[in-house]
């Protein structure tokens, strides 16, 4: 992710304040030093979620360096998960969130029914961690809002599709809100593939978000899935 993607300059390491802007934070991980979670010094990730799945760092396919590999089994009863979770400060309505990452879906893994990124709230007093989710359906990026009480997903059926077996760059920008003050936009390899206005938060007494999950946050396919992630950044600003 470069300065053009977020309007801010890069900073190293985990979730830290950006000098000159007390309201801004950035998380960044290229996975070159392995998977740093929890008590690991400077860890950008608080926990992993591994339910019929596993996350690990391995040699990246088709390019130098290392990347995060999320692997899950098929859906059996519940969905399978393999992701990493960043716990942020509480993010109220009006917060701007930009999530950028490289994505590689190997041939043989469906480009369908895979959730990739969740922005949700674990401290809002509602079971199931309400939030919005970026996911793949028939090779296209969509935003699911069912966990904030909105059945209508944001979609664009003429958007470019991802290609299996190659790396893509994805940027998801959100303004957190409960009505028309909420916005979302997604770019794929620098090209806008989705833009929408509407609720991005659940209408709860505690209004906001406090965590970002990335990986295979849910595999609803009847077959296993493998997905690579690299050069992840999360930028938060008011």
């Amino acid at each position: 992710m470069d300065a053009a993607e977020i309007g801010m300059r890069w900073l190293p390491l985990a979730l830290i304040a950006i000098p000159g802007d007390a309201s801004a934070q950035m998380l960044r991980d290229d996975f070159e030093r392995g998977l740093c979670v929890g008590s690991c010094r400077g860890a950008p990730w608080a926990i992993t979620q591994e339910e019929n799945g596993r996350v690990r760092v391995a040699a990246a396919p088709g390019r130098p360096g290392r990347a995060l590999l999320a692997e899950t089994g098929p859906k059996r009863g519940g969905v399978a998960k393999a992701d990493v979770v960043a716990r942020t400060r509480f993010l109220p309505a009006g917060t701007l969130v930009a999530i950028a990452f490289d994505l590689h879906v190997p041939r043989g893994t469906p480009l369908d029914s895979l959730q990739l990124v969740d922005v949700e709230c674990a401290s809002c007093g509602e079971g199931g961690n309400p939030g919005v989710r970026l996911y793949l359906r028939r090779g296209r990026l969509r935003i699911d809002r069912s966990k904030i009480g909105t059945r209508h997903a944001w979609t664009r059926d003429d958007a470019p599709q991802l290609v299996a077996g190659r790396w893509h760059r994805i940027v998801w920008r959100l303004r957190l809100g409960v009505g028309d003050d909420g916005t979302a936009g997604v770019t794929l390899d620098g090209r806008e593939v989705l833009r929408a206005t509407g609720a991005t938060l659940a209408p709860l007494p505690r209004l906001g978000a406090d965590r970002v999950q990335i990986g295979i946050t849910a595999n609803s396919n009847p077959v296993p899935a493998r997905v690579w992630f690299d050069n992840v950044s999360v930028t938060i600003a008011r």
Side-chain angles (χ1 to χ4, degrees):
M1 186 183 202
D2 59 25
E5 291 175 325
I6 57 171
M8 299 178 186
R9 65 183 180 84
W10 267 115
L11 287 178
L13 280 174
L15 193 59
I16 56 178
I18 295 176
D21 187 349
S23 68
Q25 290 182 311
M26 177 179 281
L27 174 155
R28 178 184 182 183
D29 200 346
D30 61 9
F31 303 103
E32 291 303 323
R33 60 177 183 151
L35 184 55
C36 187
V37 178
S39 60
C40 170
R41 184 177 179 183
W45 312 108
I47 59 172
T48 62
Q49 289 192 129
E50 297 172 302
E51 299 178 21
N52 188 20
R54 180 189 179 196
V55 285
R56 60 189 176 93
V57 170
R63 67 190 204 185
R66 307 171 80 191
L68 180 73
L69 174 60
E71 302 173 289
T72 73
K75 180 180 179 180
R76 291 175 180 161
V79 295
K81 301 181 180 183
D83 61 66
V84 289
V85 181
R87 291 174 176 155
T88 69
R89 68 171 189 270
F90 188 75
L91 309 176
T95 301
L96 305 174
V97 182
I99 302 161
F101 57 99
D102 297 344
L103 181 77
H104 182 286
V105 181
R107 293 179 179 88
T109 290
L111 290 166
D112 192 63
S113 298
L114 291 175
Q115 293 173 8
L116 306 174
V117 184
D118 299 1
V119 178
E120 60 183 30
C121 187
S123 63
C124 289
E126 184 82 5
N129 295 346
V132 290
R133 300 176 288 187
L134 184 68
Y135 72 105
L136 276 173
R137 178 60 53 87
R138 294 188 288 274
R140 293 186 172 93
L141 293 162
R142 295 183 170 189
I143 299 172
D144 176 75
R145 299 189 294 157
S146 61
K147 289 182 71 176
I148 63 170
T150 302
R151 293 182 61 184
H152 172 65
W154 282 324
T155 70
R156 186 181 141 196
D157 291 339
D158 65 344
Q161 294 174 290
L162 276 76
V163 177
R166 59 157 288 190
W167 284 97
H168 292 281
R169 183 68 173 171
I170 297 169
V171 182
W172 182 21
R173 297 180 182 86
L174 287 168
R175 181 187 295 274
L176 302 182
V178 291
D180 287 344
D181 54 338
T183 62
V186 181
T187 62
L188 175 65
D189 300 325
R191 179 177 177 182
E192 183 177 88
V193 294
L194 194 59
R195 179 190 292 183
T197 298
T200 55
L201 292 174
L204 298 171
R206 184 168 168 80
L207 190 63
D210 60 12
R211 56 195 266 167
V212 175
Q213 300 173 198
I214 187 164
I216 300 177
T217 66
N219 174 21
S220 298
N221 292 288
V223 296
R226 303 175 78 241
V227 181
W228 294 86
F229 299 81
D230 202 2
N231 298 316
V232 175
S233 69
V234 180
T235 303
I236 298 163
R238 291 282 293 171

